[in-house]
Amino acid sequence: DTGVSQDPRHKITKRGQNVTFRCDPISEHNRLYWYRQTLGQGPEFLTYFQNEAQLEKSRLLSDRFSAERPKGSFSTLEIQRTEQGDSAMYLCASSFGRASYEQYFGPGTRLTVT
Amino acid sequence: GNSVTQMEGPVTLSEEAFLTINCTYTATGYPSLFWYVQYPGEGLQLLLKATKADDKGSNKGFEATYRKETTSFHLEKGSVQVSDSAVYFCALRYGGGGSEKLVFGKGTKLTVNP
């Protein structure tokens, strides 16, 4: 069990560019979550998947954001036309089972939009 | 909506001091409650949890009791160590209606001096 991994760990991009992040959950975990954390704040929920189905999306997930989990394993989070307000740490977490009380977090991808 | 309010930081203590970090919540129904810890340069780790009223979660010398009557889940440790320096997040998970998301407080930074 190697834990949740995220790639890249850091991304610097210019405003208006598109970026894509990847998350690999703990193997056999059927649920995968994306959160965003800005400086001095707690993580905020963005979306979650059960297997390949996206079951819940936050209002924070504007039209410029899209997430996929095509085969129920890894997931990608894409931000189109990035804005400076998108600068944050993007966290991925995974869990297993129906009574999934424990979410295991990855190290995060830090996005800086210049 | 569901929300978590935790004690503003930063908190600075000397080694072996007693620690309390206050956390109160607002939620409909019966949420599960968590404390997560984020050590410098690392991802969020689950510290302890409680899933119903009067449950006590404990781990690594930390304890928190789910108090429904006061809607609180305060974190305590009898004798802190330098290695406890980290940011602590209180969170709730409300499973009603199928939602799996965690709702976090803003975090409390703890620094323990030798």
Side-chain angles (χ1 to χ4, degrees), chain A residues 9 31 33 35 37 40-45 48 56 91 98-107, chain B residues 32 34 36 38 41-46 49 51 89 93 98-107:
Chain A
R9 294 291 304 275
R31 296 188 173 200
Y33 312 78
Y35 292 84
Q37 185 178 18
Q41 302 294 316
E44 296 175 291
F45 172 79
Y48 100 92
E56 188 175 356
L91 301 171
R98 292 185 65 185
S100 51
Y101 295 120
E102 295 192 32
Q103 295 182 19
Y104 294 83
F105 282 81
Chain B
S32 297
F34 306 85
Y36 277 83
Q38 190 169 35
E42 298 185 16
L44 282 166
Q45 300 174 26
L46 178 65
K49 67 183 180 188
T51 57
F89 293 92
R93 173 188 167 273
S99 177
E100 293 286 329
K101 65 182 180 186
L102 290 171
V103 176
F104 287 87
K106 291 186 176 182

Side-chain angles (χ1 to χ4, degrees), chain A:
Chain A
D1 184 350
T2 57
V4 178
S5 62
Q6 294 186 245
D7 183 68
R9 294 291 304 275
H10 304 274
K11 178 70 177 179
I12 300 173
T13 191
K14 292 185 178 180
R15 188 178 54 178
Q17 298 295 303
N18 298 343
V19 294
T20 299
F21 310 140
R22 177 180 169 124
C23 171
D24 286 89
I26 293 171
S27 59
E28 299 181 354
H29 276 195
N30 61 338
R31 296 188 173 200
L32 186 148
Y33 312 78
W34 286 99
Y35 292 84
R36 182 172 70 184
Q37 185 178 18
T38 54
L39 200 61
Q41 302 294 316
E44 296 175 291
F45 172 79
L46 293 178
T47 188
Y48 100 92
F49 294 83
Q50 180 169 307
N51 301 313
E52 64 274 11
Q54 189 173 20
L55 296 186
E56 188 175 356
K57 292 197 297 186
S58 164
R59 287 174 295 175
L60 293 175
L61 215 64
S62 75
D63 291 345
R64 298 184 296 105
F65 288 70
S66 63
E68 294 184 341
R69 194 183 183 199
K71 296 183 179 180
S73 57
F74 73 91
S75 175
T76 58
L77 177 68
E78 181 183 15
I79 309 174
Q80 296 183 327
R81 306 180 303 282
T82 53
E83 301 172 356
Q84 287 190 320
D86 297 331
S87 295
M89 179 76 85
Y90 289 85
L91 301 171
C92 178
S94 69
S95 67
F96 176 78
R98 292 185 65 185
S100 51
Y101 295 120
E102 295 192 32
Q103 295 182 19
Y104 294 83
F105 282 81
T109 294
R110 181 169 295 285
L111 173 66
T112 302
V113 181
T114 61

